[in-house]
Amino acid sequence: MTTAEPTQPDDAEIEAGRLLFAKECTFLIGAVSLDDLPDNGLPEVAFAGRSNVGKSSLINALTNRKTLARTSNTPGRTQQLNFFDLGGRLTLADLPGYGYARAPRESVRQWTELVGDYLKGRAPLRRTCLLIDARHGVKANDRDIMTMLDKSAVSFLVVLTKCDKISADELAKTQAETTRELATHVAAHPMLITTSSAKGTGIETLRAALAALALEG
Ligand code: GDP
């Protein structure tokens, strides 16, 4: 795909995102196997990233909740896919984090199998938001996921997290490097969204991008 562009949604898109994410968001199921996946006929968006990347914080910021997605005190432990219904228009799938250094080999294997099968076979999945810590940039295991998504033909959108933690110069460097990386992945959506859940940066842009994938309401 071509280079990632900084994106500025227009006012109507921002408003659509605001309206969608103002709707009720309810927990559907914590799936430990592919037999448990919800079958609600809605388009689906998944959230993936290394443990501690700020995934729970981002989902909570998007949905204006403090505790919808539980922030993880034990990185690498949860091996379930958590599904949420957003206003009857979009399903959000919170995938278990990966890349926890001390995760036992068996749990890494389980993760790869469960999440890999989900990504390969999930018909309603419209896009995966792949979260990358703005301080660290793309790591080897992020690259592995990108390759898995390329092979599964699952379009992915990279979201930089915790941008408040670094200087503008450092952020520009991560953005440039990440953009270069995305150009090498066929499934990469040509857009890079920079966020801070702590400061609210980029949240309305991401809401707008996801609203474009939701069922018309
Ligand atoms: P998860 O493991 O990916 O779900 O990550 P969490 O959402 O639990 O976040 C991991 C840690 O990073 C927590 O201590 C959060 O408070 C912190 N964190 C998450 N997002 C941000 C952010 O935007 N800015 C800052 N400064 N800290 C954040």
Side-chain angles (χ1 to χ4, degrees):
M1 189 88 28
T2 50
T3 49
E5 302 288 343
T7 353
Q8 271 318 314
D10 65 26
D11 289 350
E13 290 164 335
I14 294 277
E15 182 60 5
R18 191 188 66 75
L19 286 173
L20 175 64
F21 281 88
K23 292 187 183 297
E24 183 136 23
C25 191
T26 50
F27 178 72
L28 289 172
I29 191 168
V32 292
S33 99
L34 296 187
D35 299 334
D36 303 334
L37 303 185
D39 182 16
N40 56 9
L42 294 180
E44 191 160 295
V45 171
F47 294 83
R50 290 158 58 87
S51 300
N52 213 40
V53 69
K55 185 159 52 64
S56 314
S57 303
L58 185 74
I59 293 172
N60 290 335
L62 282 169
T63 56
N64 291 306
R65 305 297 170 92
K66 286 206 169 64
T67 54
L68 187 69
R70 247 170 289 149
T71 47
S72 52
N73 295 320
T74 328
R77 230 193 54 184
T78 7
Q79 295 276 331
Q80 66 179 34
L81 293 75
N82 288 317
F83 291 87
F84 302 90
D85 174 304
L86 181 57
R89 293 183 47 203
L90 187 67
T91 306
L92 308 180
D94 179 9
L95 307 184
Y98 55 84
Y100 178 51
R102 279 183 283 156
R105 187 184 293 229
E106 174 58 17
S107 81
V108 174
R109 193 193 60 75
Q110 264 175 23
W111 187 96
T112 310
E113 201 173 283
L114 179 64
V115 178
D117 286 352
Y118 164 80
L119 292 172
K120 267 181 253 161
R122 184 65 170 159
L125 183 60
R126 294 288 173 275
R127 193 150 301 157
T128 294
C129 295
L130 183 59
L131 277 48
I132 304 286
D133 191 318
R135 295 171 301 176
H136 308 317
V138 176
K139 297 284 184 194
N141 41 18
D142 299 317
R143 200 165 285 128
D144 291 345
I145 301 298
M146 291 181 184
T147 303
M148 186 196 261
L149 292 163
D150 287 340
K151 286 187 185 146
S152 314
V154 176
S155 154
F156 69 89
L157 165 64
V158 169
V159 178
L160 296 179
T161 61
K162 307 191 191 181
C163 75
D164 60 289
K165 287 210 170 202
I166 53 173
S167 71
D169 282 354
E170 288 168 316
L171 179 59
K173 188 165 166 264
T174 308
Q175 286 169 328
E177 284 171 4
T178 309
T179 298
R180 273 198 296 278
E181 176 76 37
L182 294 188
T184 69
H185 292 277
V186 287
H189 191 66
M191 180 194 280
L192 181 61
I193 298 184
T194 299
T195 65
S196 160
S197 303
K199 302 271 191 239
T201 317
I203 298 300
E204 61 173 24
T205 305
L206 182 54
R207 283 185 187 141
L210 300 184
L213 304 168
L215 203 69
E216 297 279 326

